[in-house]
Amino acid sequence: MSVSHAFCAPVTVAQCPTVNLLLDTLKLGPRDLIVTEERVYQNYLSKEAAACRILIRDRYGKGPNTDKTLLQAVDDAGTAYDRVIGMGGGAVLDLAKLLVLERPLPVKNLFENPDLLRKSRELILVPTTPGTGSEVTPYVALYIEDLGQQLILMHDLLYADSALLCPALLENMPFSPFAASMLDAFTHALESYLSPLSTPLSRTVSLEAMRVLIRAFMGIARDGISALHGALTDIQMAGTMGGIGYANAGCAAIHALSYPLSVRLRIPHGEANYLVCREVLRLYEKKAPDGPLKEVKRVLASAMQGSEEQAFDELDGYCQALLPRRRLSSYGMTEEQILSFTDMVLTRQNLLIANGYVTLTPAEIASVYRALL
């Protein structure tokens, strides 16, 4: 039997409502390697430092993981560990995925010969942001400095053995990155729902993630940050559902167009996705208003108790209440970069563009940047 599309969710997902329960579940020992971030280490793990080896991702520099980041982490980690426990945002979880491999270096082998990868350790991922989704995906992003390019490694060995969701880890996260992470989760769910690779099961998961996040956006717009009290469990689960959606169906133009914004302008990933999302949806509405896009608008309109025709504009209003949109020029983008950014999308993100709801032309991609400049 030939199966063109199939739903896959191989990661065991469990919830740990409190940090104490999380640590009891992990039962940390001397053969464990924890990869984490400064905020989580200082607030929750400093007492555990003597029990196992801990790498703090922030201390390797800000921004995306690079080949030099991986080189330093491999050297610091050594080899005397049987489990890798990643506790952090997307960059932390991606680095943890690479440290379970038998030979993660040299870096070029990861991308040139992925079938030679061997996983030699157990991998447990604990997201500390509400929207990475990386805890349930087989992807790793790595910026290769000599190429000036971020590459994506995809392999089933990069799936975690288990993901533990602990909403208590979100409680002291600053609101601006929290909001950007929620918007990232929403774009994961949206793009995976619209993807031609989606399945009935993946679309169901993606739609539920969008519903949960819309309710959260509306609550914050109405009541401010206090609306998050009691909602962290649902928001975190929505981020994981968004990850399951794009692990199955992939992302597309929104992520592709956000790529130059993160690489060249250093705009955080979730914020970059949010900046381009509305303009990409305008093109989708113009080119293919029916089909899955119409269903998304119907679901959003129902959640927001508004009209289908205005659904995306209303959504954008709630998103701006979370994170006011800035012009790209305020980040340093110039008109001369429109063509170079368009070229980066078409040459370096061509797989995402090919996975789009509709195909965008070079002129249409440039029009998005021009509208946002």
Side-chain angles (χ1 to χ4, degrees):
M1 179 177 69
S2 176
V3 179
S4 57
H5 298 162
F7 180 80
C8 179
V11 181
T12 299
V13 179
Q15 292 183 299
C16 297
T18 68
V19 176
N20 284 339
L21 180 57
L22 172 67
L23 295 176
D24 286 345
T25 301
L26 289 172
K27 294 181 174 61
L28 298 173
R31 299 291 297 182
D32 290 328
L33 171 69
I34 295 181
V35 185
T36 190
E37 55 198 18
E38 194 74 49
R39 175 182 70 90
V40 175
Y41 173 73
Q42 295 295 343
N43 289 324
Y44 307 110
L45 293 174
S46 58
K47 294 181 180 179
E48 313 298 325
C52 53
R53 182 179 292 274
I54 296 182
L55 301 185
I56 300 177
R57 170 62 184 81
D58 312 43
R59 298 178 185 177
Y60 298 119
K62 297 181 179 180
N65 291 319
T66 69
D67 47 347
K68 292 181 180 179
T69 304
L70 177 60
L71 178 64
Q72 186 64 56
V74 168
D75 187 53
D76 291 345
T79 59
Y81 57 97
D82 301 318
R83 290 196 306 178
V84 178
I85 301 163
M87 298 179 63
V92 169
L93 303 190
D94 279 7
L95 186 58
K97 290 178 181 182
L98 293 173
L99 291 173
V100 301
L101 298 177
E102 191 174 274
R103 287 186 296 274
L105 296 172
V107 170
K108 68 176 184 177
N109 288 356
L110 299 176
F111 298 94
E112 293 178 358
N113 301 294
D115 289 340
L116 298 180
L117 299 185
R118 297 291 181 269
K119 182 177 178 179
S120 58
R121 301 168 175 96
E122 182 182 356
L123 177 62
I124 301 172
L125 297 180
V126 184
T128 63
T129 64
T132 174
S134 185
E135 67 273 11
V136 288
T137 74
Y139 307 122
V140 164
L142 198 64
Y143 186 82
I144 311 301
E145 295 192 1
D146 289 345
L147 298 177
Q149 183 176 352
Q150 181 173 276
L151 302 179
I152 303 296
L153 180 65
M154 181 182 74
H155 200 287
D156 284 351
L157 292 180
L158 299 175
Y159 274 118
D161 296 286
S162 57
L164 301 179
L165 306 185
C166 181
L169 295 174
L170 307 182
E171 290 177 356
N172 63 357
M173 185 177 179
F175 181 71
S176 181
F178 187 100
S181 188
M182 283 200 298
L183 293 167
D184 191 22
F186 188 88
T187 58
H188 290 157
L190 173 65
E191 291 214 282
S192 60
Y193 182 88
L194 296 174
S195 168
L197 298 178
S198 66
T199 67
L201 280 173
S202 73
R203 287 193 295 273
T204 298
V205 172
S206 296
L207 273 184
E208 182 58 22
M210 284 189 276
R211 288 191 183 100
V212 170
L213 291 167
I214 281 292
R215 290 196 294 268
F217 296 168
M218 294 173 68
I220 294 169
R222 181 184 63 247
D223 302 324
I225 299 176
S226 63
L228 293 176
H229 297 310
L232 294 180
T233 298
D234 288 343
I235 291 171
Q236 187 177 57
M237 181 59 75
T240 297
M241 288 190 290
I244 291 171
Y246 84 82
N248 278 271
C251 290
I254 294 172
H255 277 69
L257 270 71
S258 76
Y259 169 77
L261 306 186
S262 294
V263 171
R264 293 288 180 259
L265 304 180
R266 300 300 181 187
I267 300 175
H269 174 68
E271 184 176 351
N273 284 335
Y274 155 63
L275 291 173
V276 303
C277 180
R278 182 65 187 101
E279 290 301 321
V280 171
L281 289 176
R282 290 187 205 281
L283 291 174
Y284 286 177
E285 288 181 288
K286 180 180 179 180
K287 301 185 75 167
D290 297 320
L293 192 73
K294 188 172 184 178
E295 173 64 13
V296 169
K297 293 176 73 172
R298 184 190 67 78
V299 169
L300 295 182
S302 176
M304 296 183 293
Q305 298 182 333
S307 69
E308 290 185 29
E309 291 75 16
Q310 299 299 316
F312 288 147
D313 286 333
E314 290 186 39
L315 168 65
D316 191 57
Y318 286 120
C319 291
Q320 292 213 55
L322 296 177
L323 194 67
R325 182 181 291 109
R326 293 167 51 187
R327 308 300 302 180
L328 293 183
S329 57
S330 73
Y331 296 94
M333 183 176 174
T334 64
E335 188 168 357
E336 290 72 24
Q337 288 180 297
I338 292 175
L339 290 181
S340 65
F341 282 16
T342 300
D343 181 67
M344 286 179 68
V345 170
L346 294 170
T347 58
R348 302 183 185 183
Q349 301 290 297
N350 56 308
L351 293 178
L352 291 182
I353 289 295
N355 193 46
Y357 175 64
V358 295
T359 300
L360 300 184
T361 67
E364 288 168 337
I365 293 171
S367 75
V368 171
Y369 292 129
R370 189 168 288 108
L372 296 173
L373 188 60

